[in-house]
Amino acid sequence: MSKWTAQQPTGELMSPTGRLWAAEGYGVYVYPNSFFRYEGEWKGGRKHGHGKLLFKDGSYYEGAFVDGEITGEGRRHWAWSGDTFSGQFVLGEPQGYGVMEYKAGGCYEGEVSHGMREGHGFLVDRDGQVYQGSFHDNKRHGPGQMLFKNGDKYDGDWVRDQRQGHGVLRCADGSTYEGQWHSDVFSGLGSMAHCSGVTYYGLWINGHPAEQATRIAILGPEVMEVAQGSPFSVNVQLLQDHGEIAKSESGRVLQISAGVRYVQLSAYSEVSFFKVDGDNQETLIQTPFGFECIPYPVSSPAAGAPGPRAAKRGAEADVPLPRRDLELDLGALCGQEGTPGGLLAGGHTPHCPGACRRVDQGCAEFTDVLLGPPPPGYHPFLFLDSLHKKAGSRSRGGLYPGGTPPTAQEPPGGSRPEGSAMEEQPAAAYPGEYVLMIHDVTTPPFLGRTLPPTFKHLRVVAKRADRPPDVLEEGPEASSGWQDHGCTPEPPAPR
């Protein structure tokens, strides 16, 4: 049987069958199933006004009642989940505007319908991430802004809790993406300005650029040939998997370096083209040309700075050379207006050293490249005809197997053969075989990937007017001297 107590009740409270006919004022009512208990205001035998409905499992509602129904402003707590909603109710359900506090962490403030997030609202999840925007069926849906726990910010379209449509992502590291999304990843046409200075505008598939560069290529013949002491240019392209130029990509930093072919005579000889000081041993560099090399100095003026040719022209004209602008205009690259202002990695122009170039639409050029003289610690040997004759009784040498570094020992006898070493420091690289290397040194790597290095075989040939007089020997052996065969001559084969 139900139980009724009242304060200043008016009218008859209970019928003989236990039914409440009429009650006015404030009272407490326990339902027959003992699961519900109400205490609060009554009117005409119905809960009306302010009251509190308690449930046996610990849940409760406290707030406004209208004609026996939970309607108006109130507070509802669910014991099974620990969540609490404070706001507007209609017929027992959260409806209108309110604040939901979640036991697991976070809260929601905004519009609700039938107890679910619907309309515009402000959500903080258990990880502290913040979303402000549209909701549908309890999910982020429509335009909205999200601040992620890693510091990234997204402003754009959502579909059922996933970024989909058009949106702008500004990453904590300074990178920015603007374009199409699908299933929470970049998909469709979009542009990215990476924090390294790399920009990409084009098609994206499942979060990856569809026209991204995958390798570096140096243009020109299989073996480049340049005159000793003369500057030259190196043209580079970034290529996609299928061989097309990656024109959608700009801003990668490419660095040029060089090596000289390392050749040592057979094991019984202790002479290499370069004798390297014992405390200055160099690591051998593996090349795809069937030989190894050791590092060799190469120079290339910074983009916009006068090189050997430009400096000469500038001196003759007495006119200052214009600087080349290194900044990338992403708006022009994309052919769009309204590109986000933060696309250039935090608004700064990344540094590009002299031996480096930034790629522009898949291409880069190193101008006025020059191989300098051998560095300190590199002691070259020039083999003369007399040395060849002395070695004539020996078998012909070859590449030293196993990749052993150059020896630092003196030739047999404790002294060098007469005329076997240059006493004066040369002004340029000796004729011979060299290797140019282009490395992707973009920092940090674009999308976490660094392109593999590429190599170009380079042959430096002597200018006839510059050939040293002590090398110009007569006879058939002189024609096979160091200036024709490079910087690593070998003894002639036994006759």
Side-chain angles (χ1 to χ4, degrees):
M1 178 177 289
S2 59
K3 184 185 296 183
W4 163 261
T5 60
Q7 297 177 354
Q8 298 179 350
T10 60
E12 187 174 351
L13 300 180
M14 193 76 67
S15 70
T17 61
R19 180 181 178 185
L20 185 64
W21 283 349
E24 301 287 339
Y26 183 90
V28 178
Y29 181 76
V30 179
Y31 287 77
N33 60 11
S34 300
F35 189 81
F36 302 101
R37 171 189 170 94
Y38 173 79
E39 52 185 63
E41 297 178 346
W42 295 78
K43 182 178 180 182
R46 295 177 180 272
K47 300 180 287 291
H48 192 90
H50 184 82
K52 186 173 184 179
L53 181 65
L54 298 94
F55 301 80
K56 194 171 184 178
D57 66 352
S59 303
Y60 67 86
Y61 166 81
E62 183 174 8
F65 288 82
V66 175
D67 292 332
E69 297 291 345
I70 297 176
T71 299
E73 291 287 333
R75 178 182 176 86
R76 174 80 158 90
H77 174 75
W78 291 268
W80 60 272
S81 66
D83 299 340
T84 302
F85 176 80
S86 301
Q88 299 173 333
F89 288 80
V90 174
L91 299 178
E93 290 186 321
Q95 185 88 6
Y97 189 89
V99 176
M100 178 74 80
E101 300 175 75
Y102 302 100
K103 181 181 180 181
C107 65
Y108 169 79
E109 180 177 356
E111 297 174 315
V112 293
S113 177
H114 301 290
M116 294 189 293
R117 300 186 290 265
E118 187 78 27
H120 188 272
F122 183 89
L123 175 66
V124 180
D125 66 18
R126 68 180 68 183
D127 296 321
Q129 302 181 126
V130 180
Y131 171 84
Q132 183 174 8
S134 295
F135 289 85
H136 173 65
D137 198 22
N138 225 34
K139 299 181 182 296
R140 292 164 291 186
H141 192 92
Q145 301 173 341
M146 181 92 173
L147 174 61
F148 296 87
K149 62 181 179 181
N150 64 354
D152 294 352
K153 299 177 182 178
Y154 173 79
D155 186 357
D157 299 327
W158 296 78
V159 174
R160 299 188 64 80
D161 265 350
Q162 291 187 328
R163 290 166 287 187
Q164 188 155 314
H166 183 272
V168 178
L169 176 67
R170 292 180 173 86
C171 302
D173 64 4
S175 303
T176 301
Y177 170 84
E178 179 175 7
Q180 296 299 309
W181 295 72
H182 190 274
S183 299
D184 221 32
V185 297
F186 311 149
S187 191
L189 193 64
S191 60
M192 169 174 279
H194 195 251
C195 57
S196 62
V198 178
T199 60
Y200 174 88
Y201 176 78
L203 186 64
W204 297 75
I205 299 176
N206 294 328
H208 301 283
E211 301 168 358
Q212 182 182 9
T214 57
R215 58 191 176 95
I216 308 170
I218 302 176
L219 303 184
E222 184 176 350
V223 180
M224 291 179 60
E225 192 169 282
V226 298
Q228 182 185 17
S230 298
F232 55 94
S233 296
V234 178
N235 290 285
V236 180
Q237 291 180 344
L238 302 187
L239 302 181
Q240 306 173 43
D241 281 331
H242 48 77
E244 294 292 325
I245 302 175
K247 295 182 178 180
S248 298
E249 187 176 313
S250 295
R252 278 192 193 266
V253 180
L254 303 182
Q255 184 181 59
I256 189 170
S257 60
V260 61
R261 180 169 183 172
Y262 165 67
V263 176
Q264 182 164 298
L265 302 182
S266 54
Y268 55 77
S269 173
E270 298 178 357
V271 180
S272 303
F273 175 70
F274 279 111
K275 171 184 177 294
V276 182
D277 289 344
D279 57 351
N280 191 29
Q281 293 292 325
E282 294 287 355
T283 302
L284 292 179
I285 301 172
Q286 303 295 326
T287 74
F289 310 121
F291 60 83
E292 299 165 324
C293 62
I294 54 176
Y296 195 87
V298 63
S299 63
S300 179
R309 300 167 181 166
K312 182 178 180 181
R313 292 194 300 267
E316 293 173 351
D318 197 24
V319 176
L321 293 171
R323 286 188 57 84
R324 183 180 303 171
D325 188 4
L326 293 179
E327 283 199 33
L328 300 171
D329 185 352
L330 186 68
L333 174 64
C334 300
Q336 296 179 346
E337 296 183 358
T339 304
L343 286 182
L344 270 180
H348 67 276
T349 303
H351 176 64
C352 194
C356 298
R357 291 292 183 274
R358 282 197 176 271
V359 174
D360 182 16
Q361 297 187 27
C363 301
E365 182 182 18
F366 294 84
T367 57
D368 292 316
V369 179
L370 189 64
L371 295 175
Y378 281 43
H379 305 296
F381 289 87
L382 301 182
F383 300 98
L384 304 183
D385 183 57
S386 58
L387 180 60
H388 287 192
K389 291 178 180 179
K390 292 179 182 179
S393 59
R394 301 179 181 178
S395 60
R396 185 175 183 86
L399 292 178
Y400 190 85
T404 308
T407 178
Q409 300 178 7
E410 292 288 335
S415 63
R416 300 171 181 171
E418 183 180 356
S420 63
M422 294 290 290
E423 298 296 336
E424 296 182 1
Q425 181 71 13
Y430 290 104
E433 291 184 285
Y434 296 79
V435 174
L436 293 177
M437 295 165 281
I438 303 294
H439 292 264
D440 177 10
V441 294
T442 307
T443 305
F446 179 52
L447 299 180
R449 181 184 180 186
T450 298
L451 300 181
T454 191
F455 300 81
K456 175 66 73 173
H457 194 171
L458 177 70
R459 181 174 293 125
V460 175
V461 296
K463 294 181 179 179
R464 184 163 296 275
D466 297 335
R467 290 168 64 175
D470 58 343
V471 180
L472 300 178
E473 302 284 347
E474 295 182 358
E477 295 178 357
S479 64
S480 60
W482 65 274
Q483 69 274 15
D484 292 325
H485 290 279
C487 61
T488 55
E490 299 176 349
R495 294 183 176 86

